[in-house]
Amino acid sequence: MHGRRLGVVAAATLAAFTSTARAFPTPANLTARDAGATGVHLDRRTDYTTLATTNAPLIKYHPDETFFCSSVEYMFPYYSMVYSDGSAVSGAPSSFSDTNLDFLYQEGVDASGVYLAVSGEPTADPSLSSTYSYLYSTEAIGVSAPIYAFVVPKSNGVVDIYYWLFAPYNLGKDVVLFGYVGDHVGDWEHIMVRTINGVAVSVDYLAHSTGTGLGTLSVADSRITWSGTHPVVYTALGSHGTWPEAGSNVYDTIASVYDLTDETGDGSEWSTWNNVYLINYLQSGGYTGSQAWLNYDGYFGNPGDTSCWFYSVVGECAFSEGPSHPNRDMTGPPADVLATPNTAAPDYSDYTFYLSAGAQAWAVANGITYVAAHQHCAASSSSHETDNWGFVALTSSSSVTEYTVTTDRCKKDYSRYAWEYEVAFCTGAAEGDCTTTSGYRTIVQYSGSSVATEKGIVLSDPDPWSWSY
């Protein structure tokens, strides 16, 4: 057995994440991708434009795509505003614009149960009727549409950029026994590029409302290709889920039997940096002028059908509910937190993380004396999963505070590896002394450009922890 080392409070800052070269040899510059400079200084509004443009993706449609993306405004002439039962919203404008779509917001009325609907229920089995030809958009529109870039500054030099694409229609999936499932008017999909001190460090590839997809990939990941500083994104045939590679991508399974698959390929290219629609993110709304439409917090498609015989099994019918608005909660961390194998001390894992000012103050005020890192180890079977704990004394600071905690590595047998971690508040340096925990963040390890599954890791997490204590 190997002994446990107790962690110490770290004095380092997240400046170590920034790299000035295209190399990934140490945790200090893990996943840092340099565009030929040391980073973008974020002290003026115009710098966000530069940052968003520099990191905007090159999107590749499938060669057989017919449901191309468009601007939101493209759909305004075809929308009416209704409730879930199809009844009209009183007082809705006769025609919509950037500045009146949010009229309910301006009146202080919650629009979360409101839909922007087209007439009828257009389903594409096998194709849309000519009445709905406008839902196809066109290739010319699709390769010149705006990409909606929400810029979200966070702690420790982090600026996350959420790139949202909009399409007039989502083609569902052809499922054995059920036919097409999940057709709906309107479609919002996105990726997220994380930058630290002006340098891109990761890309989140996401797919559909289930939040599935590949999650957080280091910019060093060999699966990502680049067009200069722009990550390549493959958007799925008809349904627009985002992926780093061409091929067949399973993102969900119906009734534990039928795989739902996004097909991607090398078709028309959309250089989104030529039309970046920059949005300084406002979590609770309050957008003005030509961006006032972002205050609308309802759905961008029709209410869905729930009367089909397989709804209780699948959760959807042939015609489904449209997507909710894009101004969603973007304040949290990415899907996964990145780490590297601990080659310097492979018998241990080192966790560097932050407590939010609120969490730190609560701990000080409530007699907490130790902060713990709880490492959960995956294994070849769930019955062999294990845990490791490490502890460090709580400081008396009342602001955002950085800690480094060391745990033992995962046990050697049953293919164990460090899979996720959480933070805990404790009154002593033992697991049984911990009174509240944060909930886990999933770990993705990288060794160079490849995903790793090591037992001891080095992790630096820039997203401050905060939870209900």
Side-chain angles (χ1 to χ4, degrees):
M1 294 292 292
H2 48 280
R4 169 172 295 170
R5 298 182 302 162
L6 293 182
V8 296
V9 178
T13 70
L14 278 172
F17 272 91
T18 307
S19 172
T20 56
R22 296 180 185 270
F24 312 94
T26 69
N29 64 9
L30 170 71
T31 72
R33 182 177 182 84
D34 183 29
T38 57
V40 179
H41 297 292
L42 303 177
D43 55 353
R44 299 187 306 276
R45 167 75 179 265
T46 54
D47 291 323
Y48 288 113
T49 302
T50 301
L51 192 71
T53 302
T54 298
N55 295 287
L58 173 67
I59 294 179
K60 293 190 176 186
Y61 291 104
H62 191 279
D64 298 327
E65 186 62 78
T66 55
F67 294 103
F68 290 94
C69 294
S70 73
S71 67
V72 171
E73 292 87 348
Y74 172 89
M75 284 296 293
F76 284 173
Y78 308 104
Y79 277 145
S80 61
M81 191 172 285
V82 302
Y83 294 108
S84 59
D85 62 0
S87 61
V89 173
S90 177
S94 57
S95 61
F96 293 111
S97 69
D98 293 335
T99 56
N100 70 14
L101 189 69
D102 70 334
F103 84 99
L104 290 174
Y105 174 87
Q106 297 300 333
E107 295 177 358
V109 178
D110 179 14
S112 59
V114 171
Y115 296 79
L116 293 173
V118 303
S119 61
E121 293 186 351
T123 56
D125 185 7
S127 61
L128 290 174
S129 71
S130 59
T131 303
Y132 299 109
S133 59
Y134 61 89
L135 293 175
Y136 284 105
S137 185
T138 66
E139 180 179 3
I141 293 173
V143 298
S144 59
I147 192 82
Y148 297 93
F150 288 82
V151 178
V152 189
K154 298 179 180 176
S155 302
N156 302 316
V158 171
V159 177
D160 289 338
I161 312 171
Y162 292 77
Y163 294 98
W164 286 86
L165 54 88
F166 175 78
Y169 193 79
N170 176 91
L171 179 65
K173 304 300 180 182
D174 192 1
V175 181
V176 177
L177 297 181
F178 308 135
Y180 270 94
V181 175
D183 289 350
H184 57 79
V185 173
D187 198 20
W188 284 107
E189 299 286 350
H190 71 289
I191 67 163
M192 190 267 276
V193 175
R194 163 152 289 192
T195 68
I196 298 180
N197 297 327
V199 178
V201 297
S202 64
V203 182
D204 276 48
Y205 289 84
L206 304 157
H208 314 302
S209 60
T210 56
T212 52
L214 291 183
T216 307
L217 275 61
S218 163
V219 294
D221 195 303
S222 59
R223 290 169 291 180
I224 302 178
T225 54
W226 297 85
S227 176
T229 61
H230 309 288
V232 173
V233 175
Y234 289 84
T235 184
L237 176 64
S239 60
H240 314 109
T242 59
W243 304 88
E245 297 178 296
S248 297
N249 307 277
V250 176
Y251 66 89
D252 204 355
T253 302
I254 291 179
S256 303
V257 176
Y258 304 109
D259 287 339
L260 299 182
T261 304
D262 273 351
E263 299 293 341
T264 55
D266 287 282
S268 303
E269 295 185 353
W270 175 13
S271 301
T272 65
W273 54 91
N274 292 324
N275 195 2
V276 173
Y277 186 107
L278 186 71
I279 302 162
N280 285 311
Y281 175 64
L282 301 173
Q283 184 179 8
S284 301
Y287 298 98
T288 60
S290 62
Q291 292 191 347
W293 65 272
L294 289 161
N295 297 319
Y296 168 73
D297 58 354
Y299 294 86
F300 279 77
N302 293 46
D305 177 25
T306 60
S307 63
C308 59
W309 66 268
F310 51 83
Y311 183 80
S312 61
V313 177
V314 178
E316 290 185 313
C317 293
F319 189 71
S320 298
E321 183 178 73
S324 63
H325 61 96
N327 196 60
R328 306 174 191 179
D329 186 359
M330 305 179 204
T331 59
D336 310 297
V337 59
L338 303 180
T340 55
N342 193 348
T343 56
D347 280 344
Y348 304 97
S349 290
D350 291 320
Y351 288 89
T352 299
F353 57 85
Y354 290 81
L355 294 182
S356 69
Q360 176 71 23
W362 185 93
V364 170
N366 286 273
I368 300 299
T369 54
Y370 286 89
V371 179
H374 174 202
Q375 172 179 273
H376 185 68
C377 303
S380 54
S381 66
S382 59
S383 61
H384 293 109
E385 293 178 359
T386 57
D387 299 271
N388 306 102
W389 290 76
F391 303 86
V392 66
L394 182 78
T395 71
S396 59
S397 172
S398 59
S399 60
V400 174
T401 305
E402 182 184 28
Y403 293 91
T404 293
V405 179
T406 298
T407 75
D408 286 348
R409 57 151 173 79
C410 297
K411 294 181 179 179
K412 289 185 175 180
D413 48 2
Y414 298 105
S415 303
R416 294 186 180 94
Y417 65 94
W419 175 32
E420 56 187 4
Y421 94 105
E422 65 177 353
V423 172
F425 287 153
C426 315
T427 56
E431 177 183 349
D433 297 327
C434 297
T435 61
T436 177
T437 56
S438 59
Y440 287 105
R441 289 180 184 169
T442 305
I443 299 165
V444 176
Q445 304 177 33
Y446 276 92
S447 179
S449 62
S450 300
V451 174
T453 53
E454 296 299 323
K455 304 175 190 311
I457 64 168
V458 175
L459 179 149
S460 293
D461 188 347
D463 292 286
W465 284 94
S466 181
W467 66 93
S468 297
Y469 320 116

